[in-house]
């Protein structure tokens, strides 16, 4: 077979829901059929989410050709439902789950009396004897026909195993359904043959009926499938909870009617809202769109997006996001993003893409699954033939043949990795940590060194006033008010910090009559008739303004990594204001949490050495690299990698993008730039370093769960197949009955799913798990 033809065109990614998959062999078959198409770079099937992810060249190949390849593989590509894909998938899964439970119930209604009729003659302690008409000694044909009649409804309930299983055999791609179909089919054919013999007068053939074996196996496998369907629906519960939070309707203010009346408030479906609409959010209501507050003040609970439990203050100019919960006040919100463009929809999309990916650890399971079913079929045939040749006991040989086929279901193998990945990434989203892929998840648990950017990562990223030092201590408020009045015309971050501090203290400001910005120095302005100068030491020196007693606190501020801003009026110094980018309250504990995990932590920043060292001391980082360019940050990451470290880089700005891309694991702060977020493998939805420790802990837990699942799946088959093949019988031990083999097979899949679902209870350990807020400390 020739390899797929690829071009230099950029690839696109397509997600297709696929119906009809039952095991890892199904996934392997679809990947093979789609992956060999010209223009397809990669095809990956996630059995847990029942989705096919295709990286392809849209110039070379189109969607219909990919869908047709899925059909040729024997499966059904489901129609793309658009924006409500997750909702439609949930509805389809619920329907499938109900259908398989009904099929199991129907099968059980007939399998239980079938089992009783078949087994009662052999159980002397049974107190409910069979009717005389079913006595195998006097009426063997009557007993055989009753068993046949009871078996037919069970076979109808499990007909999908036969349609899919034998189709797979015809197409030379057997699946788990093929194992069940061949095993139970052999029992049925064997039994039908002996019914004919009984009808011909051979009463002894009644002992060779295996109808109850086929019926009970089908019923148990259906029971396992029903439990599996229920468990699968729970794996994506985190995403479903996010989707359900979005309100279906919203109150919108519409323009005044043509007759000049007042604007009207109408309730409309959220799908009808467009950017620019004014949405009214009442107290206690959910925000229906992403937008900006234009009127009103309130607090909003954003925990469903960020994992942060503390409500966030909202005022005119604040951003709000769909599905968050309004607090005590009404908010008028100008719509900016709706539907698939909202932050909620993007989070859901990221999580679903991660859940559809594969971790490298799954490679071994994929290889084994591809060869598993044919090998098991060969083992079953050889074992059955060997016992028949060795003992001339057709009944025992058939028992071995059926037991091997039924016990060796590869479902557990196929579910081991994707279920843990789906539950783990969903739990991460609930905690405010978006892990973009299985590759990122597996890399995260290997990290040995964490490199932290400073601004916007360890610190708030917004300068704030930390202290006001006046020559007359009682005049500190008036000093701040005077400086803020002068700075009202400034666009400099330090000037905005001074104005913000005055407004927070409700100080009265006056409009300057004259304003002159002095780049690199500060400003001059006239406020209330007085000549005000605000700026650094060089500006004061150039204006012949003596610093006097202010020199010492200015030097102390500089040693702490703070910026001193001097204020003078009519040539006389009034005091100074110290400004710093404050360290986030959660950063010191987050760094301690990383170090408790045995990780090396370093700070890399473009800021000056004094400020970098001061911040590093505040948070407990020993290794500091200052005055580093964006390219230099990537170089520092490469240097650590050359020393043997697996490096995680944490940043939030455009200047961090090269380092994020170069690192083994890029972690972006969700409040950062789009470029940084696109370059990262993990996105933290709130500006809090605690999420880094959470992501690394979660990755270790998920990888450990995957290894446990794979160990159980492999171990189950390694032990089960030899026992089913009659190994114990060689030393006088018992034979594994086909019915018990079916029960064990179902249990293996359910146990893997149950183990993965334990990840839903994951909570990060350490003090950082308490959900500390975003408040900054000076």
């Amino acid at each position: 077979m020739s390899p797929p033809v690829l071009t230099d065109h950029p690839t696109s990614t397509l997600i297709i829901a696929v119906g009809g998959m039952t095991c890892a062999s199904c996934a392997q078959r679809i990947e093979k059929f789609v992956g060999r198409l010209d223009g397809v770079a990669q095809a990956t099937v996630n059995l847990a989410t029942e989705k096919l992810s295709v990286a392809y060249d849209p110039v070379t190949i189109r969607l219909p050709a990919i869908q047709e390849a899925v059909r040729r593989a024997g499966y059904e590509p489901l129609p793309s439902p658009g924006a409500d894909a997750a909702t439609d998938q949930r509805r389809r899964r619920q329907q499938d789950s109900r259908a398989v439970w009904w099929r199991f119930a129907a099968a059980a209604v007939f399998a239980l009396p079938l089992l009783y009729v078949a087994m009662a003659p052999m159980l002397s302690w049974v107190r409910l004897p069979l009717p005389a008409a079913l006595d195998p000694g006097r009426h063997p044909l009557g007993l055989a026909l009753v068993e046949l009649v009871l078996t037919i409804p069970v076979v109808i309930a499990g007909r999908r195993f036969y349609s899919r299983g034998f189709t797979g055999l015809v197409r030379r791609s057997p699946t788990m359904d093929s194992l069940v179909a061949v095993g139970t089919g052999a029992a049925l054919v064997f039994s039908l043959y002996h019914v004919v013999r009984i009808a011909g007068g051979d009463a002894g053939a009644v002992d060779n009926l295996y109808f109850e074996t086929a019926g009970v196996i089908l019923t148990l496998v259906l029971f396992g499938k029903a439990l599996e369907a229920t468990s699968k629906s729970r794996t994506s519960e985190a995403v479903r909870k996010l989707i359900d939070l979005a309100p279906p309707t919203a109150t919108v203010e519409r323009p005044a009617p043509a007759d000049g009346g007042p604007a009207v408030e109408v309730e409309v479906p959220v799908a009808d809202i467009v950017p620019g609409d004014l949405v009214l959010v009442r107290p206690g209501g959910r925000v229906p769109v992403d937008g900006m507050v234009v009127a009103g003040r309130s607090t909003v609970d954003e925990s469903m997006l960020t994992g942060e439990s503390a409500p966030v203050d909202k005022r005119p100019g604040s951003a709000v996001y769909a599905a968050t919960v309004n607090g005590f006040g009404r908010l008028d919100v100008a719509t900016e993003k709706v539907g698939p463009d909202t932050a909620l929809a993007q989070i859901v999309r990221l999580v679903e893409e991660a859940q559809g990916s594969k971790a490298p650890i799954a490679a071994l399971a994929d290889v084994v699954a591809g060869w598993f079913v044919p090998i098991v079929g060969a083992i079953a045939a050889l074992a059955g033939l060997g016992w028949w040749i060795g003992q001339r006991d057709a009944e025992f040989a058939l028992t071995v043949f059926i037991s091997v086929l039924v016990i060796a279901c590869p479902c557990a193998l196929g579910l081991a990795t994707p279920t843990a990945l789906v539950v783990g990434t969903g739990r991460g989203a609930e905690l405010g940590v978006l892990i973009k892929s299985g590759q990122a998840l597996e890399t995260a648990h290997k990290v040995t060194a964490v490199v932290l950017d400073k601004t916007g990562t360890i610190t708030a990223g917004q300068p704030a006033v930390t202290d006001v030092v006046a020559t007359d201590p009682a005049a500190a408020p008036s000093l701040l008010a005077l400086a803020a009045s002068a700075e009202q015309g400034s666009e400099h971050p330090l000037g905005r910090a001074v104005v913000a501090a005055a407004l927070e203290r409700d100080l009265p400001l006056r409009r300057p009559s004259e304003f002159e910005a002095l780049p690199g120095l500060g400003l001059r302005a006239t406020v209330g008739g007085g000549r005000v100068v605000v700026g650094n030491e060089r500006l004061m020196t150039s204006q012949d303004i003596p610093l006097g007693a202010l020199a010492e606190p200015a030097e102390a501020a500089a040693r702490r990594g703070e910026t001193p801003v001097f204020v003078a009026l009519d040539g006389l110094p009034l005091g100074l204001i110290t400004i710093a980018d404050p360290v986030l309250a959660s950063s010191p504990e987050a760094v301690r949490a990383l170090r408790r995990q045995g990780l090396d932590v370093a700070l890399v920043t473009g800021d000056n050495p004094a400020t970098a060292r001061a911040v590093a001391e505040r948070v407990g980082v020993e290794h500091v690299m200052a005055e580093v360019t964006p390219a230099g940050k990537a170089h520092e990451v490469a240097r650590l990698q050359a020393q043997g470290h697996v490096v995680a880089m944490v940043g939030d700005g455009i200047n961090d993008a090269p380092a994020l891309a170069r690192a083994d694991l890029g972690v972006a702060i969700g409040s950062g730039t789009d470029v940084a977020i696109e370059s990262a493998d993990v996105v933290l939805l709130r500006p809090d370093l605690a999420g880094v420790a959470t992501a690394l802990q979660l990755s270790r837990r998920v990888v450990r769960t995957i290894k446990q699942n794979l160990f159980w799946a492999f171990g189950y088959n390694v032990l089960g197949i030899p026992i089913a093949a009659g190994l114990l019988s060689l030393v006088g031990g018992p034979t594994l009955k086909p019915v018990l083999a079916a029960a064990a097979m179902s249990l293996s899949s359910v146990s893997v799913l149950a183990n993965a679902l334990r990840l839903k209870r994951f909570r990060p350990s350490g003090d950082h798990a308490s959900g500390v807020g975003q408040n900054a400390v000076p």
Side-chain angles (χ1 to χ4, degrees), residues 94-129:
Q94 290 173 340
Q95 292 172 348
D96 291 345
S97 179
R98 283 194 295 269
V100 73
W101 275 109
W102 275 112
R103 288 197 297 272
F104 160 69
V109 166
F110 293 93
L112 289 174
L114 170 64
L115 183 63
Y116 173 73
V117 168
M119 301 300 294
M122 292 177 263
L123 302 175
S124 59
W125 48 267
V126 173
R127 296 182 180 274
L128 295 175

Side-chain angles (χ1 to χ4, degrees), residues 663-676:
D664 298 287
L665 184 76
V667 182
I669 302 294
S671 58
T673 64
D674 292 340
V675 175

Side-chain angles (χ1 to χ4, degrees), residues 526-597:
T526 301
V527 179
R531 192 68 173 168
V532 181
V533 178
V534 183
N536 58 24
E537 183 177 352
R538 285 188 295 150
L539 177 59
M540 297 297 136
T541 301
S542 67
Q543 299 294 310
D544 296 323
I545 299 174
L547 299 181
L550 297 177
E552 184 176 343
E555 292 176 3
R559 287 194 297 270
R560 295 193 300 269
E562 300 172 353
T563 301
V565 176
F566 297 94
V567 182
L569 176 63
D570 294 331
L572 297 176
L574 296 182
L576 64 85
I577 300 170
T578 60
I579 301 174
D581 182 7
V583 173
L584 291 168
S586 58
S587 293
E589 173 52 35
V591 171
R592 287 194 292 271
L594 292 172
R595 296 184 66 177
R596 281 197 297 268
Q597 294 183 32

Side-chain angles (χ1 to χ4, degrees), residues 761-774:
R761 299 194 298 270
F762 167 81
R763 290 192 63 81
S765 61
D767 297 339
H768 69 285
S770 60
V772 291
Q774 315 175 19

Side-chain angles (χ1 to χ4, degrees), residues 111-112 114-116 118-119 122 154 180 183-184 187 209-224 398-408 716 724 735-748:
L112 289 174
L114 170 64
L115 183 63
Y116 173 73
M119 301 300 294
M122 292 177 263
V154 181
V180 174
T184 59
L209 298 180
Y210 271 77
F211 286 120
E212 85 284 355
T213 297
V216 174
I217 286 176
L218 287 172
T219 303
L220 287 174
V221 175
L222 280 170
F223 180 58
L398 180 65
T399 298
V400 169
F401 176 72
I402 296 172
S403 295
V404 173
L405 289 178
V406 172
I407 200 171
Y716 160 81
T735 304
L736 183 65
K737 297 295 184 183
V739 171
L740 295 178
M745 181 269 287
S746 299
L747 178 62
S748 68

